[in-house]
Amino acid sequence: MSRILLTLALALFASTAIAQSPPPAPPDADPTPPEPAAGPTEPPAEAAAAPEDFDSPYTAYDAGVYEQALQGFVDQQVEYPEDPEVALNLGSVHYQMKNYEEADQAFAQAAMAADDPLRAQALYNLGNSAYQQGKLQDAVELYKRTLELDPEDEDAKFNLEFVRDEIRRRHEEAKKRQEEQQQQQGDQQQQGDQQQQDDQQQQGDQQQQGDQQSQPRDGDGDGLPDELERSAPNPTDPENPDTDQDGLADGQEDQNRNGQVDEGETDPNQSDTDGDGTPDGEEAQQAEQQQGEAQQAENEEGLTEEEAERYLQGLEEGTPQQRRRLPPGSRRAKPEKDW
C-alpha cells in the first residue's frame, strides 16, 4: 500500500514539479494511486461531480475539488499528526486555496523532517508561498536553502533567478518613479519660481505706473510741471520746452522749480536776462567751456601757479559777469616779464 506526496510548482516559474517516491498510504487508500501532478492545474469538467465520486483526497486534489481534498488530508493528519508528508500535502491544498498562512504552518512542519528531499520540497513550497505574499527576499532565501539540500533542483534554480529579476525590476521601477517624482517636483518648483518672478514683475510694473500717474504731468518735458507753468508767478508755455528760445529749457533756467526768477537764475521768458546782447543759452555754453578749459589748464604739467592765473585771466576778459575772483586778501603775483 502506498500514498502519493503532493508537490507544488509555481505556475509562473516552472512547468514541472519535483517528483517524490510515494510514501505508505493509509489502510483505506487506493492501492494504486495516480502519479503526482506536474503542477497546479485547472479543475477538469468533472470537478463539479458529487463528493462521493472521489475515493481519496488525492483524486479530489487532482480534480481541483480542494475543499474535499482538504477534509481528507485533515482526517489523515488526525490519524498521523507527526507525519511530515501529510503536513506537506495539507499545506499544498491550503496553498491552492490561497490560505497562505495555513499553508506556511503546514510546510514549516514538513520542513522539520529528517529526510533531505522532503525538507527541500517543503522549503521550495515555502518559497512559492512567500512569493505569492509579496515577500520576495524571503522567497530568494528559501530557494537558496532548497538548493543547498538539492543542488540539482531545476525548478528552484529557475524560481530563484525569476524572483531575483523581479526584485531588480521592481527596484528599477521604484527608482524611475522616484526620479519622475523629483523631476515633477523640480518642474513645479521652477514654475512656482517663474510665477513668483512674474508676480513681482507685475507688481513692479503696477508700482511704476502708479508712480508715473502720481507725478505731475510735464507735457513738453522741460522739467517743469504743466500746472506750474500755467499758474506760476512767472508763467511759461507748457507746450514749449524753451519758451524764450534761448537754447536753455525752462526747467534749466528755473532751477529750483518755483515758477519765478531767483538770484543766480535766468528768466525763461527772456532770452537775454542780463541784457548784454548774448543769449542766456550762449552764455551758459561759454561758462561751461571756460570751466573745462580752466580745468585742463590746471592739469597741464609744468604750468606754474602764476601762469595758470594769467591763463585764466585771459579767458575771462570780456565776460565780467563770469569773471573769476581771487579770495579776499590774496594778491596776484607780478609777471616776470611783460606779456
Side-chain angles (χ1 to χ4, degrees), residues 12-13 131 136-137 139-140 143 156-174:
L12 293 175
F13 299 174
Y131 174 83
L136 303 190
Q137 194 58 48
V140 167
Y143 292 137
K157 292 178 182 178
F158 183 92
N159 289 2
L160 176 60
E161 293 307 315
F162 182 94
V163 176
R164 282 175 170 171
D165 289 342
E166 180 69 8
I167 291 174
R168 284 191 290 267
R169 184 185 67 80
R170 295 188 184 186
H171 177 74
E172 291 173 358
E173 286 184 353

Side-chain angles (χ1 to χ4, degrees), residues 12 22 29-30 43 61 89 91 112 125 146 159 166 169 181 186 243 254 257 260 275 280 286 291 302 338:
L12 293 175
D30 187 343
Y61 180 94
N89 290 343
M112 300 297 291
N125 288 349
T146 301
N159 289 2
E166 180 69 8
R169 184 185 67 80
Q181 184 177 7
T243 301
D254 186 5
R257 311 292 196 271
Q260 62 186 18
D280 295 340
Q286 291 175 355
Q291 183 177 3
D338 189 6

Side-chain angles (χ1 to χ4, degrees), residues 47-116:
E52 56 269 23
D53 290 345
F54 305 105
D55 54 4
S56 74
Y58 305 101
T59 55
Y61 180 94
D62 291 339
V65 184
Y66 300 121
E67 291 288 348
Q68 184 173 340
L70 177 63
Q71 185 59 51
F73 290 128
V74 168
D75 293 341
Q76 286 188 7
Q77 191 175 47
V78 171
E79 187 174 357
Y80 305 98
E82 303 299 328
D83 191 333
E85 295 180 357
V86 173
L88 185 66
N89 290 343
L90 183 61
S92 297
V93 179
H94 278 303
Y95 178 93
Q96 297 293 354
M97 298 176 70
K98 303 186 187 310
N99 302 330
Y100 298 120
E101 291 186 6
E102 292 82 355
D104 288 347
Q105 292 175 3
F107 291 147
Q109 180 182 349
M112 300 297 291
D115 181 69
D116 284 350

Side-chain angles (χ1 to χ4, degrees), residues 39 41 85 102 120 127 183 185 222 236 265 309 313 339:
T41 59
E85 295 180 357
E102 292 82 355
Q183 179 65 38
Q185 291 175 349
D222 60 0
T236 50
E265 296 180 341
E309 282 192 17
Q313 184 178 2
W339 289 86

Side-chain angles (χ1 to χ4, degrees), residues 42 89 99 232 244 283:
E42 293 294 329
N89 290 343
N99 302 330
D244 56 8
E283 290 183 353

Side-chain angles (χ1 to χ4, degrees), residues 223-225 227-229 231-236 250-251 253-263 265-266 268:
L224 297 177
E227 184 60 31
L228 176 64
E229 293 196 77
S231 59
N234 185 33
T236 50
D250 296 343
E253 300 197 73
D254 186 5
Q255 296 177 6
N256 58 10
R257 311 292 196 271
N258 66 355
Q260 62 186 18
V261 182
D262 297 316
E263 183 178 358
E265 296 180 341
T266 54

